[in-house]
Structures are given as structure tokens and as C-alpha cells.
């Protein structure tokens, strides 16, 4: 089954992406742009959440409405995924939150796990996995494996810039996981950075 890749063409998403890419963007504005882009893309990601029909009373009469019928879990891959949480949570403040701590070994580029804390009962939850950068795909593929091991069955990956390599790796390992992104970049450099990309997302976010 070929995996699903959705690259946004929304002008507001693309405007935020331009700010994120621009090396002149200072950390404060970078954080705001990441938050806004995550909310805009998150809206699309959550389009597929399960709903049910309901009825409410307006001041005039009863009205048929739609209500959410599934718990939502937002999971950030540390560190840079933290910058996406406020945007996604602004849409669903009641969502549960998980953290997966991974860093890339600078030589092998393989993800190294240092922290995992996830909500219980992921099996029926709509899980939105957030990491702004999908480079080699190693971190995202490992985070999805961890989520599946904990029982998650419905996972969507929300990124802001993806490389073709990363998309291919995630879809090879997890073909059922849709990937949403604001930009698809052609290549990686010899240090595993996305080119043109935006540089090191964690460093730009946290001014390290
Ligand atoms: C960055 C980024 C992703 C990962 C992507 O994290 O936030 O998690 O690299 O690269 P990959 O697709 O090749 O795995 P990093 O390891 O730099 O850790 P940090 O966020 O703590 O800086
Ligand atoms: N992590 C980043 O922050 N940027 C890249 O380009 C690749 C991995």
C-alpha cells in the first residue's frame, strides 16, 4: 500500500513556512510561526477524527450537531516537537499529551531514546505525532514504533518540513501512517540536515 503524503498548499501555512525557513527570523517569531503553522496543519490532520451525531437546544429549537467521538492524543518528539504542541492544543485543549525523547547520534544519525511518557489506552485514540523535521525519517519511524508497541492503532505524523528520504523511510516501515507537512524538500546534506530546510529546529526554537 503506498503511504499517504499530504503537502499543504494553504497560503497561510506557506507564509509561516517562509518565516521558519528565513535565517533572519528570531526565536520569538520562530516560535510563533511554528505554533501557527501547527494549528493550521493540525486542523487538516484532525479532519479524520471520529465524530457522532448529537442534538443541542438552541434558544429557538433543537438542532442536529456533530460532536467528537474519539479521544485525541498529541505526542511531541523532543525537543523540537514541543514547539508544535501549543498550536495543536489550541484546537483541542482537552487532548491528552505524550512525550517521546529522541536525539540523533551525530555520526550514525540513528535515533537514541532517552525518555518516553505516554497516556494510557492509546488503542482507540486518534494520535497526532508532532515533529517539525522529517529528515532521514529515523526519529519518526522509531517514535511510531514506540507508539504502536504501546497500543496506538491510529497515528498521523504532523511535520513542517519533510525530505523525500524521510517520507520514504516512514512509509516503508509504517505504510498506514499518513504524513502531513508544509514543505517537501529534495535532499539531505552529509550531516543529515534537510536542504534547503530551516537549519536545526530545536536550536532555533530554544535559542541554543
Ligand atoms: C531533530 C528533529 C527530529 C530529528 C529528525 O531532532 O527535531 O526529531 O532531528 O531527524 P531524522 O528524521 O533524521 O531522525 P534532534 O535529534 O536534533 O534532537 P533535538 O530536537 O533535541 O535537537
Ligand atoms: N533536524 C533538524 O532540526 N533539522 C534538519 O534539517 C534535520 C534534522
Amino acid at each position: 500500500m503506498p503511504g499517504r503524503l499530504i503537502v499543504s498548499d494553504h497560503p497561510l501555512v506557506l507564509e509561516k513556512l517562509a518565516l521558519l525557513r528565513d535565517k533572519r527570523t528570531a526565536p520569538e517569531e520562530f516560535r510563533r510561526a511554528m505554533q501557527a503553522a501547527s494549528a493550521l496543519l493540525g486542523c487538516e490532520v484532525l479532519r479524520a477524527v471520529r465524530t457522532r451525531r448529537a442534538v443541542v437546544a438552541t434558544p429557538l429549537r433543537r438542532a442536529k450537531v456533530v460532536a467528537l467521538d474519539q479521544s485525541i492524543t498529541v505526542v511531541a518528539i523532543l525537543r523540537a516537537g514541543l514547539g508544535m504542541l501549543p498550536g495543536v492544543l489550541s484546537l483541542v485543549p482537552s487532548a491528552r499529551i505524550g512525550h517521546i525523547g529522541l536525539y540523533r547520534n551525530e555520526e550514525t544519525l540513528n535515533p537514541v531514546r532517552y525518555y518516553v511518557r505516554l497516556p494510557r489506552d492509546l488503542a482507540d485514540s486518534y494520535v497526532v505525532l508532532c515533529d517539525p523535521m522529517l529528515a532521514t525519517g529515523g526519529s519518526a519511524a522509531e517514535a511510531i514504533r514506540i507508539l504502536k508497541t504501546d497500543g496506538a492503532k491510529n497515528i498521523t505524523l504532523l511535520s513542517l518540513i519533510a525530505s523525500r528520504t524521510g517520507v520514504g523511510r516512514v512509509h516503508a516501515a509504517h505504510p498506514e501512517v499518513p504524513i502531513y507537512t508544509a514543505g517537501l524538500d529534495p535532499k539531505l546534506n552529509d550531516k543529515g540536515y534537510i536542504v534547503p530546510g530551516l537549519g536545526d529546529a530545536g536550536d532555533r526554537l530554544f535559542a541554543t
Side-chain angles (χ1 to χ4, degrees):
M1 177 174 76
R4 276 210 312 138
L5 172 69
I6 298 92
V7 184
S8 178
D9 60 359
H10 194 298
L12 294 181
V13 173
L14 299 181
E15 187 220 6
K16 302 305 173 209
L17 179 61
L19 277 171
L20 291 168
R21 286 193 190 277
D22 192 330
K23 68 177 183 186
R24 296 169 302 179
T25 302
E28 188 185 347
E29 199 180 359
F30 190 88
R31 285 179 206 133
R32 275 202 302 268
M34 186 175 284
Q35 184 171 335
S38 305
L40 289 161
L41 268 177
C43 220
E44 284 308 310
V45 167
L46 289 165
R47 188 181 277 280
V49 71
R50 195 171 67 229
T51 59
R52 62 181 165 81
R53 292 176 193 191
V55 174
V56 297
T58 79
L60 301 180
R61 54 173 290 180
R62 283 152 55 92
K64 292 179 183 165
V65 296
V66 170
L68 297 186
D69 191 37
Q70 190 170 19
S71 83
I72 295 170
T73 305
V74 186
V75 178
I77 300 183
L78 308 181
R79 293 175 299 163
L82 289 175
M84 301 175 73
L85 281 186
V88 181
L89 291 174
S90 69
L91 306 169
V92 278
S94 63
R96 304 181 305 167
I97 301 171
H99 297 89
I100 296 180
L102 299 172
Y103 69 87
R104 296 196 308 177
N105 176 299
E106 282 177 11
E107 268 143 40
T108 64
L109 298 182
N110 288 327
V112 181
R113 166 181 170 155
Y114 60 90
Y115 183 78
V116 175
R117 190 80 195 220
L118 297 169
R120 290 168 199 268
D121 304 326
L122 290 178
D124 190 47
S125 196
Y126 192 97
V127 179
V128 182
L129 177 62
C130 298
D131 191 334
M133 308 306 282
L134 179 58
T136 66
S139 302
E142 174 62 6
I144 294 167
R145 192 192 65 74
I146 291 168
L147 287 167
K148 285 182 175 175
T149 304
D150 247 50
K153 295 189 176 353
N154 190 339
I155 306 167
T156 302
L157 176 60
L158 173 52
S159 75
L160 297 179
I161 301 185
S163 76
R164 290 190 186 281
T165 310
V167 170
R169 178 150 171 198
V170 169
H171 277 158
H174 308 288
E176 78 289 2
V177 173
I179 301 174
Y180 283 72
T181 192
L184 182 64
D185 279 7
K187 58 181 182 184
L188 302 175
N189 68 13
D190 59 4
K191 293 201 160 90
Y193 279 86
I194 301 176
V195 179
L198 55 70
D200 189 302
D203 285 351
R204 294 195 61 192
L205 195 56
F206 298 112
T208 42

